[in-house]
Amino acid sequence: MEPSKYLSILHTAEQLKNQTRHSLTSSGRHESVAEHTFRLCMMAWFCRDEFPDLAMNRVLQMCLFHDIGEAFTGDIPAFRKTDRDETRETDTVGQWIGTLPAPYRQELTGLFLEMQSLQTPESKLYKALDKLEALIQHNEAGAATWLPLEYDLQLRYGQQECREFPFTRALRRLVEEESRELIQKDRENPAPKNLPPEKAGQ
């Protein structure tokens, strides 16, 4: 690969550090898309023993590249994302992949087609972990940072995706228990909402 093209790819990846997500961290700031991606990759790496029959390197690749489109479009929370937004992101990713050298272009085209179809166990695992990472982050930020609709969303989000494997089902139940504890504590001792200005207005 030409050094100039290589550098261009790195500049694109850097945008994932700049693009922030709806979720807050436990310190009260917005997390970046890159931070979400980083921990999602860690989640896949640390559960390899649970999935000896899966191509876990492929799962890691999905985790690494799944949100690359947000380098161009920014992050849109799941509860606000429309079909039009999904199409725009898919088209943007396709355009970016089309600028890559042939070996990488072909590999990433196949990877994204697999992620979109969600027919392979690898793609289903990546999707379940992606949902779980967001739920875990919301729990870590605490109920004081949630929008009203997120109290219900924390209990529903990712349920279907996590049913596919015993490990993700068990992890989803554990995360839900934490969410319910946070909700119960918030009901018993309501705390002032701790939302940054950009989230408070949503």
Side-chain angles (χ1 to χ4, degrees), residues 49-116:
D49 291 347
E50 300 293 333
F51 301 94
D53 297 328
L54 269 63
M56 291 303 290
N57 280 343
R58 192 151 184 86
V59 176
L60 275 164
Q61 289 172 1
M62 293 178 187
C63 293
L64 181 63
F65 285 102
H66 78 290
D67 273 343
I68 191 67
E70 294 182 8
F72 306 99
T73 66
D75 175 72
I76 301 173
F79 54 84
R80 295 184 186 276
K81 206 164 197 175
T82 65
D83 290 343
R84 184 176 180 180
D85 294 324
E86 292 279 7
T87 299
R88 176 171 171 253
E89 186 172 329
T90 298
D91 290 346
T92 301
V93 169
Q95 291 167 10
W96 177 72
I97 291 176
T99 69
L100 300 177
Y104 303 98
R105 181 170 67 244
Q106 293 161 355
E107 186 171 356
L108 285 180
T109 295
L111 190 74
F112 273 90
L113 287 173
E114 185 177 348
M115 284 192 283
Q116 290 160 9

Side-chain angles (χ1 to χ4, degrees), residues 108-168:
L108 285 180
T109 295
L111 190 74
F112 273 90
L113 287 173
E114 185 177 348
M115 284 192 283
Q116 290 160 9
S117 64
L118 286 175
Q119 295 300 307
T120 63
E122 287 81 8
S123 63
K124 291 176 181 179
L125 177 57
Y126 131 72
K127 181 59 76 171
L129 294 176
D130 185 34
K131 301 289 187 182
L132 283 162
E133 203 287 327
L135 289 164
I136 293 167
Q137 187 60 61
H138 271 73
N139 280 351
E140 289 167 339
T145 70
W146 298 356
L147 298 174
L149 61 83
E150 289 178 297
Y151 287 82
D152 179 59
L153 191 60
Q154 276 294 107
L155 306 180
R156 293 186 294 103
Y157 190 69
Q159 290 284 9
Q160 180 177 344
E161 291 83 357
C162 291
R163 290 192 188 106
E164 190 69 26
F165 308 99
F167 179 78
T168 53

